Amino acid sequence: MARAAAVTPPSRLPATGDRSGAVLARLQLMVTRKLDGLLQGDYAGLLPGPGSEAGESREYRPGDDVRRMDWPVTARTTLPHVRRTVADRELETWLAVDLSASLDFGTGRWLKRDVVVAAAAALAHLTVRGGNRIGAVVGTGATAGAGRGAGSRTGRRRGDPEATGPGTLLRLPARAGRKEAQGLLRAIAGTEIRPGRSDLGTLVDMLNRPPRRRGVAVVISDFLAPPEQWGRPIRKLRVRHDVLAVEVVDPRELELPDVGVLPVVDPESGELHEVQTADPALRRRYAEAAAAQRAAIAGELRAAGAAHLRLRTDRDWLLDLVRFVAAQRHARTRGTTR
């Protein structure tokens, strides 16, 4: 229900084509100014998980994981202590970027697609340093299947993006370095949005194949696909990795304005409808249905154990990201969970 979109979108930030390089450069400058020195500490990645390398001990606090009890120190001091652990120095981050047709829409300051690319740029800035690697899988349009055909590698040079299916799923290999990260962002920003909806479950499953060492997995989408399609793949991904779900929302997907007859189009099917927004009962039903839809999305992500960040097209997405990461780090240092 919340897929209906106003016909006339605002100007977009990360444009595709020849302008994408210049726009990404300005976006990178904005991200760097905001994030440098504010969020980057000793941990190499966005979600400061417990890691695996032994660190210093500290006194036990309610909420600490009892599996990290430091028994020798506890016996020596007669006070319960837990062993801190530090994260691995080299982190591998993978992005699952959903660029279905519903993302090519926005009535706020940006299109939802703009926020997707901007979020990917900020995440790359936070994770790519110290030898860390970042890769991505990108989906757009209707998905015919995740399997590769016999000719899918024809003409592909070593290191080029790997196409999967009929040009709707793209895998960008994980590489280290800011230059490689910029290339990855250019590929995401330059991806042409196709009609239809990509299979978000299949897109997330691509992060599970082949199996990788523990790292960070980020799913960026509007999550308008049914939760039963992507919930199980995210739970499977969470078994091995720290998972962050970035939900991109436009205000018109939450409520309708009172503007009389409003022409709207479903960006996935192309169907055009006229909605009488002056009807208060219609606006109320729409808001209730949208709230129930977002609650179902939040509930599914919470059940999967994924961290959940919601970014809106009418708000300062970078400030919301800063607040989210700061809250995550504060919660981890206090020994609490998501």
Side-chain angles (χ1 to χ4, degrees):
M1 40 71 56
R3 295 180 184 173
V7 176
T8 305
S11 58
R12 58 174 48 180
L13 173 64
T16 57
D18 295 338
R19 295 178 54 213
S20 61
V23 173
L24 281 174
R26 293 196 299 271
L27 178 61
Q28 180 69 19
L29 180 61
M30 180 171 62
V31 168
T32 301
R33 286 177 175 175
K34 190 77 171 184
L35 298 184
D36 264 352
L38 180 62
L39 298 177
Q40 297 180 4
D42 293 332
Y43 184 71
L46 174 65
L47 298 181
S52 58
E53 299 179 7
E56 298 178 352
S57 294
R58 62 167 173 80
E59 287 191 22
Y60 173 86
R61 290 196 294 260
D64 286 341
D65 189 346
V66 296
R67 294 173 296 181
R68 295 195 286 118
M69 292 293 296
D70 191 335
W71 296 113
V73 176
T74 298
R76 187 167 61 250
T77 62
T78 70
L79 294 174
H81 278 68
V82 292
R83 172 70 69 176
R84 286 180 173 178
T85 54
V86 296
D88 296 334
R89 289 297 87 195
E90 291 186 3
L91 181 77
E92 186 168 282
T93 301
W94 278 87
L95 310 177
V97 182
D98 179 15
L99 288 178
S100 298
S102 63
L103 275 299
D104 202 17
F105 160 66
T107 62
R109 300 170 61 185
W110 329 110
L111 297 182
K112 291 200 293 183
R113 175 196 177 109
D114 299 343
V115 179
V116 168
V117 176
L123 294 167
H125 179 77
L126 285 171
T127 56
V128 177
R129 55 193 180 94
N132 299 331
R133 296 179 297 277
I134 186 168
V137 292
V138 185
T140 180
T143 301
R148 289 193 299 267
S152 64
R153 294 179 179 268
T154 304
R156 187 174 68 88
R157 297 172 299 178
R158 179 178 178 83
D160 285 349
E162 176 182 336
T164 306
T168 58
L169 294 178
L170 188 69
R171 186 190 300 273
L172 305 168
R175 295 191 175 94
R178 294 194 180 276
K179 184 177 180 180
E180 298 292 344
Q182 285 297 308
L184 179 140
L185 293 173
R186 284 194 297 270
I188 294 175
T191 298
E192 177 187 358
I193 289 186
R194 301 172 182 270
R197 166 159 293 279
S198 60
D199 188 330
L200 184 57
T202 299
L203 187 67
V204 174
D205 253 342
M206 290 180 68
L207 300 184
N208 287 313
R209 302 192 304 267
R212 302 178 180 88
R213 71 174 187 173
R214 182 176 175 84
V216 174
V218 183
V219 183
I220 309 176
S221 174
D222 55 11
F223 291 94
L224 291 183
E228 55 269 20
Q229 179 191 102
W230 47 262
R232 183 179 179 87
I234 289 184
R235 286 194 295 272
K236 180 180 177 182
L237 190 65
R238 180 65 182 87
V239 171
R240 189 172 180 84
H241 306 284
D242 286 328
V243 178
L244 169 62
V246 180
E247 180 189 6
V248 181
V249 182
D250 187 84
R252 294 289 75 82
E253 295 173 333
L254 304 178
E255 59 183 5
L256 289 175
D258 184 1
V259 293
V261 178
L262 177 67
V264 297
V265 61
D266 187 330
E268 296 180 4
S269 67
E271 296 182 4
L272 179 66
H273 302 276
E274 291 186 348
V275 179
Q276 178 53 268
T277 62
D279 183 355
L282 172 65
R283 297 198 307 273
R284 184 182 65 254
R285 292 196 304 271
Y286 183 93
E288 291 173 351
Q293 180 187 44
R294 296 299 164 178
I297 294 171
E300 188 68 31
L301 292 173
R302 184 167 55 250
H308 182 197
L309 169 61
R310 179 174 292 172
L311 300 179
R312 293 175 53 127
T313 61
D314 60 340
R315 292 183 48 168
D316 186 341
W317 57 267
L318 193 51
L319 180 59
D320 288 340
L321 178 62
V322 168
R323 289 172 174 168
F324 171 81
V325 177
Q328 287 284 306
R329 295 194 171 188
H330 179 68
R332 292 302 184 107
T333 56
R334 291 178 59 88
T336 59
T337 57
R338 296 183 179 86

